[in-house]
Amino acid sequence: MKKLIALFMLSGILMFPVTTKAQVADQDAADDTTEVVEQAAPTPAAPVVVDDEIIEEDKGFHQVIKEKFIEGDPTYMSPVLICLILGLAVAIERIITLNLSTTNTKKLLARVEEALEQGGIEAAKDVTKNTKGPVASIFTQGLMRYSEGIEMVEKSIIAYGSVEMGRLEKGLVWISLFISLAPMLGFMGTVIGMIGAFDAIEAAGDISPSLVAGGIKIALLTTVAGLIVAIILQLFYNYCVSKIDSLVNDMEDASISLVDILVKHKLTK
C-alpha cells in the first residue's frame, strides 16, 4: 500500500513540471504571434480629403492652365491664345527695338561739337553715321543740309523726325488690335456657351443646374481668358508708348541743341 501511495505521489510530481512548461511554451508562442500580427498590421490609410489636398498642391501652374483651357473648349479658347502669342511676339520685338534705339544724347552732342571744332562738318557726319539710333539719324540728315543754311537744317530735322517717329510706332497698331480682339473673342465664346445652355434647357423641357452648368462654365472661362490676354498686352502696349514718348522728347531736345551748336559753329567759323 505504501509503495502504491509513493508511486502515485512521484508520478504527480513528475507530471506537474511538464504541464507548466507546456503552458509557458503555449504562452510564449501566443505572445510571438501577437507581436508578428502587430508588426505586420498595415498603417491606417490617410483620409481621402488629405489625399485630394496633396494632389491639388502637387499640380503645377501650367497643368492648371491646361485643364482650364480644355474645360473652356479649345474651339473658343484657341483664338484667344493665338491673340496672346501674336501680341506678345510683336510687343517683345518692339521692346527690343526701342531699347536698342535709345541713345545717350548728351554724349552724342558733345562728340558732334568736338568733331565740328576739330574736323568740321564731315567729321561730325562721321560721328553721327557711326552712331545707332533715331537721334543720330536725324543729326545726319541735318548736317547734310548744313551748306543750304540753318533754316534748311531745321526743316530737314523736323521732316526726318516725323519719319523716325513713324518707325518707332511701327507695330503698335497690331498690339492694339489684339488688345481689342481678345475680349471680343472671349465674349463670343460666352454668348455661344449661353446659347448652348438654353438649347439644352429647351431640349430637356426643364431647368436643371446640371444642364446649364457646362455652357455657363465655358462662357465664363472664355470671358476670363479674353480679359487676361487684353490686360497682359495692355501692359506691354503702355510700356512701348511710354518708351516712344521718351525717345521723341530726346529727339526734339537734341535737335534744338544741334541747331544751336551749328549756329555757334557758323558764327565762330
Side-chain angles (χ1 to χ4, degrees):
M1 186 66 180
K2 292 180 180 181
K3 291 181 179 181
L4 291 175
I5 294 172
L7 183 59
F8 178 79
M9 292 176 65
L10 181 60
S11 62
I13 292 171
L14 292 174
M15 290 179 64
F16 178 78
V18 173
T19 305
T20 303
K21 289 180 181 179
Q23 292 177 352
V24 172
D26 292 339
Q27 184 66 29
D28 293 340
D31 293 340
D32 294 339
T33 304
T34 303
E35 290 178 0
V36 171
V37 171
E38 290 178 354
Q39 292 178 358
T43 56
V48 176
V49 177
V50 176
D51 291 342
D52 292 340
E53 291 178 356
I54 293 174
I55 292 173
E56 292 294 334
E57 291 177 357
D58 291 338
K59 287 183 178 180
F61 179 75
H62 65 285
Q63 293 179 343
V64 175
I65 295 297
K66 183 179 178 181
E67 290 179 359
K68 296 302 179 182
F69 182 85
I70 296 173
E71 290 175 0
D73 195 341
T75 304
Y76 309 121
M77 299 288 278
S78 295
V80 178
L81 179 61
I82 292 172
C83 289
L84 176 62
I85 294 172
L86 296 178
L88 285 178
V90 176
I92 292 172
E93 185 273 333
R94 283 289 87 199
I95 290 172
I96 294 173
T97 302
L98 293 174
N99 286 324
L100 292 176
S101 301
T102 304
T103 307
N104 190 341
T105 55
K106 292 182 179 180
K107 184 178 180 180
L108 178 60
L109 286 169
R111 292 173 59 193
V112 169
E113 186 174 7
E114 182 181 356
L116 283 171
E117 294 175 355
Q118 295 179 358
I121 296 297
E122 294 301 325
K125 287 181 183 179
D126 293 336
V127 171
T128 56
K129 287 179 180 179
N130 294 326
T131 303
K132 295 180 179 180
V135 176
S137 299
I138 291 173
F139 283 7
T140 302
Q141 294 297 320
L143 292 172
M144 290 175 66
R145 296 296 183 92
Y146 178 75
S147 60
E148 301 178 14
I150 299 299
E151 292 183 359
M152 288 301 298
V153 171
E154 292 179 351
K155 291 180 180 179
S156 177
I157 288 174
I158 293 172
Y160 200 73
S162 300
V163 174
E164 287 294 332
M165 187 183 300
R167 291 178 179 176
L168 293 175
E169 293 177 348
K170 179 183 178 182
L172 291 184
V173 64
W174 291 107
I175 302 176
S176 179
L177 172 64
F178 294 131
I179 290 172
S180 302
L181 193 59
M184 291 181 186
L185 293 173
F187 292 144
M188 185 178 69
T190 300
V191 174
I192 294 174
M194 295 301 294
I195 291 173
F198 284 110
D199 286 342
I201 293 173
E202 183 180 6
D206 185 18
I207 298 176
S208 175
S210 61
L211 292 175
V212 299
I216 294 175
K217 188 175 184 179
I218 292 174
L220 295 177
L221 287 174
T222 53
T223 302
V224 170
L227 293 175
I228 290 174
V229 169
I231 291 170
I232 293 173
L233 295 181
Q234 186 68 52
L235 294 175
F236 283 95
Y237 179 83
N238 288 349
Y239 174 81
C240 292
V241 170
S242 64
K243 190 68 176 177
I244 291 171
D245 291 341
S246 177
L247 290 172
V248 170
N249 290 332
D250 289 342
M251 288 162 53
E252 292 176 352
D253 294 340
S255 299
I256 295 172
S257 299
L258 177 64
V259 173
D260 293 339
I261 291 172
L262 291 177
V263 172
K264 178 183 176 181
H265 175 70
K266 187 174 183 179
L267 292 174
T268 57
K269 187 171 65 172

